[in-house]
Amino acid sequence: MANVAVIGAQWGDEGKGKIVDWLCERAEIVVRFQGGHNAGHTLVIGGNEFRLSLLPSGVVRSGKMSLIGNGVVVDPWHLLKEIDAIAAKGVAVSPDNLRVAENAALILPSHGEIDRARERRRGNNPIGTTGRGIGPAYEDKVGRRAIRLCDLAEPATLGAKLDELLRHHNALLRALDAPEVHRPQLEKSLNEIAPRILPYADTVWDRLDQARRAGRRILFEGAQGIMLDVDHGTYPFVTSSITHPAEAAAGAGLGVRSVGYVLGITKAYTTRVGGGPFPTELTDAVGEELGMRGKEFGVVTGRKRRCGWFDAVMVRQAVKVAGIDGIALTKLDVLDGFQELKVCVGYRRNGATLDHLPANANVQAEIEPVYESMEGWSESTQGARSWAQLPALAIKYIRRIEELIEAPVALLSTSPERDDTILVRDPFAD
């Protein structure tokens, strides 16, 4: 049985939460391997809505172990707040079903201050970060000055480590005309939270190795999407982590052969939050209609998402770069009732046709989509749970997408509800 890595094949917000939750029924362990609390997942289970941003989606399933790997940057205050929030909805989270890598880097309040101050300084040209300190936390991790979860267990040396970190942070804050951080207060806050967060600390890599050797099914849950990857995305309008499925192994503490099947999640249309290029973006009534039907607002920030037609060129590039074996196509029901649908099959710039999204940001901003039009369907696909319940024109649309992106549809989602899913090919069976 293959271990499965789930990643976004667009710019994030593809509906990974529901797909991961659905796959959790077949998995025994769910592990987050990158990102932080800047990416939200919405799960709808029996009429109850759960909004998660740092916790693995597996926490809402009883009997599953959820792990946060070393590749994740962790805001300990937010983690406890999220645990309390879902506990209020009847989901118990404890060290019995959640563990956090002891070597995970922490997000401190000053990281958020730096993040937001930088965005303010950018004025009318922001990157579009969530302002939650993810990027600055990764900078400190690479700069070898991060405070890690295991450091909270050593209060005698924590102060000296904070001094080293804040020499850097306060210099940045001064340059950004932002208030500096008072080290004693920060140290006090960390010492106060340590007894609550340290029980979750674990050698996650060892726990996963034991699970792998025992043949237990592992589900690797990615955040954001491949087109937000710091290397392969639309740089500089990207996230600060590696969203590529290869990070599933490194960010969890396993060998590369531990990841078997790579499942890419993609909407039946395209959305993006924040700045950056978006070749198929629609700023007309059709774009507004897609946003309204799809309830396209960010789970974490509440920001309105930009909407457009399905970009097969971009998704095909994601399939090739990330080694995606199959895709889960979500929100097909949002397209119900459109008389005409369009799919981007190429780009045009200065009279030349391109078959991929170039790396240069200036070129990305200048390209125009080349569309192929398809007839829409009038029937409803919402809640369909088999191919037989889908309109013929909807199936035709799906098959054309498969041809264009050069990858098969393994799963099809027709509503936010967990069970409104059509299984074409079980990723765990490969």
Side-chain angles (χ1 to χ4, degrees):
M1 296 295 178
N3 295 323
V4 177
V6 176
I7 66 163
Q10 295 166 308
W11 280 297
D13 309 307
E14 300 98 345
K16 292 183 292 296
K18 175 205 166 163
I19 299 300
V20 169
D21 172 61
W22 191 87
L23 288 170
C24 280
E25 186 175 359
R26 292 162 169 76
E28 297 169 86
I29 298 174
V30 184
V31 54
R32 278 282 310 274
F33 59 86
Q34 52 78 219
H37 63 306
N38 54 335
H41 299 322
T42 301
L43 310 179
V44 180
I45 303 168
N48 292 322
E49 185 175 270
F50 298 90
R51 296 194 171 197
L52 310 177
S53 55
L54 185 56
L55 289 171
S57 297
V59 295
V60 300
R61 288 268 192 178
S62 62
K64 309 295 179 180
M65 173 59 73
S66 292
L67 304 175
I68 296 176
N70 55 274
V72 179
V73 285
V74 177
D75 182 325
W77 295 277
H78 179 87
L79 178 60
L80 293 175
K81 181 180 178 181
E82 200 169 316
I83 289 172
D84 291 342
I86 69 167
K89 294 189 175 184
V91 177
V93 178
S94 73
D96 292 332
N97 63 347
L98 174 69
R99 296 298 177 93
V100 183
E102 61 181 357
N103 54 337
L106 299 183
I107 299 175
L108 307 180
S110 52
H111 289 122
E113 293 294 337
I114 292 170
D115 204 357
R116 293 186 290 273
R118 283 174 171 168
E119 283 288 85
R120 290 194 298 269
R121 182 62 64 89
R122 293 185 181 107
N124 294 326
N125 298 296
I127 294 294
T129 76
T130 58
R132 296 194 165 195
I134 312 299
Y138 273 115
E139 290 176 32
D140 285 338
K141 177 179 178 178
V142 175
R144 295 168 291 186
R145 54 180 172 264
I147 304 299
R148 302 191 299 172
L149 180 56
C150 56
D151 293 329
L152 300 187
E154 301 292 337
T157 58
L158 181 60
K161 292 178 180 179
L162 286 173
D163 283 336
E164 175 68 20
L165 178 67
L166 294 183
R167 271 194 291 271
H168 179 75
H169 281 201
N170 283 333
L172 282 173
L173 290 168
R174 283 194 300 272
L176 294 166
D177 297 320
E180 295 183 30
V181 178
H182 185 56
R183 196 268 285 171
Q185 181 59 48
L186 176 57
E187 184 178 4
K188 178 183 177 183
S189 297
L190 286 169
N191 284 327
E192 287 175 347
I193 203 171
R196 295 189 62 198
I197 201 75
L198 282 174
Y200 293 96
D202 199 359
T203 49
V204 163
W205 66 266
D206 187 51
R207 181 177 286 271
L208 282 170
D209 181 64
Q210 293 179 40
R212 180 187 63 81
R213 291 174 181 274
R216 300 180 69 188
R217 290 177 175 177
I218 303 170
L219 183 61
F220 300 90
E221 179 180 9
Q224 293 94 24
I226 193 66
M227 300 312 294
L228 289 175
D229 184 86
V230 71
D231 282 321
H232 300 288
T234 47
Y235 192 92
F237 299 96
V238 294
T239 191
S240 299
S241 63
I242 299 171
T243 64
H244 194 284
E247 180 66 8
L254 284 172
V256 293
R257 293 178 182 173
S258 301
V259 180
Y261 192 96
V262 178
L263 181 68
I265 316 299
T266 177
K267 285 175 181 169
Y269 50 102
T270 310
T271 63
R272 178 164 198 169
V273 173
F278 188 168
T280 66
E281 182 175 13
L282 298 172
T283 57
D284 57 9
V286 175
E288 288 293 322
E289 182 72 9
L290 286 171
M292 182 185 68
R293 291 187 184 190
K295 299 179 181 178
E296 297 297 353
F297 296 91
V299 174
V300 171
T301 64
R303 289 182 294 181
K304 184 178 179 181
R305 296 181 186 131
R306 301 152 65 191
C307 299
W309 294 122
F310 186 84
D311 190 337
V313 182
M314 182 183 73
V315 176
R316 182 174 64 241
Q317 185 166 325
V319 167
K320 294 177 181 296
V321 167
I324 292 172
D325 296 297
I327 67 166
L329 191 66
T330 66
K331 292 198 169 184
L332 181 69
D333 55 302
V334 172
L335 299 182
D336 292 352
F338 280 98
Q339 292 185 350
E340 181 186 44
L341 302 173
K342 293 184 179 181
V343 177
C344 177
V345 296
Y347 301 133
R348 185 178 292 114
R349 176 178 180 260
N350 296 335
T353 301
L354 304 173
D355 62 357
H356 68 283
L357 189 63
N360 187 285
N362 294 329
V363 177
Q364 291 172 355
E366 294 173 355
I367 59 177
E368 297 178 353
V370 177
Y371 285 121
E372 178 180 298
S373 295
M374 298 184 65
E375 184 181 355
W377 54 89
S378 58
E379 305 95 324
S380 173
T381 63
Q382 186 171 14
R385 298 184 182 181
S386 70
W387 284 104
Q389 295 176 306
L390 295 176
L393 289 172
I395 295 175
K396 183 178 179 181
Y397 180 78
I398 296 166
R399 294 306 186 202
R400 183 56 179 149
I401 283 177
E402 288 180 316
E403 292 174 355
L404 291 168
I405 67 173
E406 301 177 21
V409 170
L411 291 166
L412 186 66
S413 172
T414 57
S415 93
E417 286 288 345
R418 173 189 283 173
D419 294 328
D420 291 342
T421 304
I422 300 172
L423 174 65
V424 182
R425 185 173 184 174
D426 187 351
F428 281 110
D430 281 22

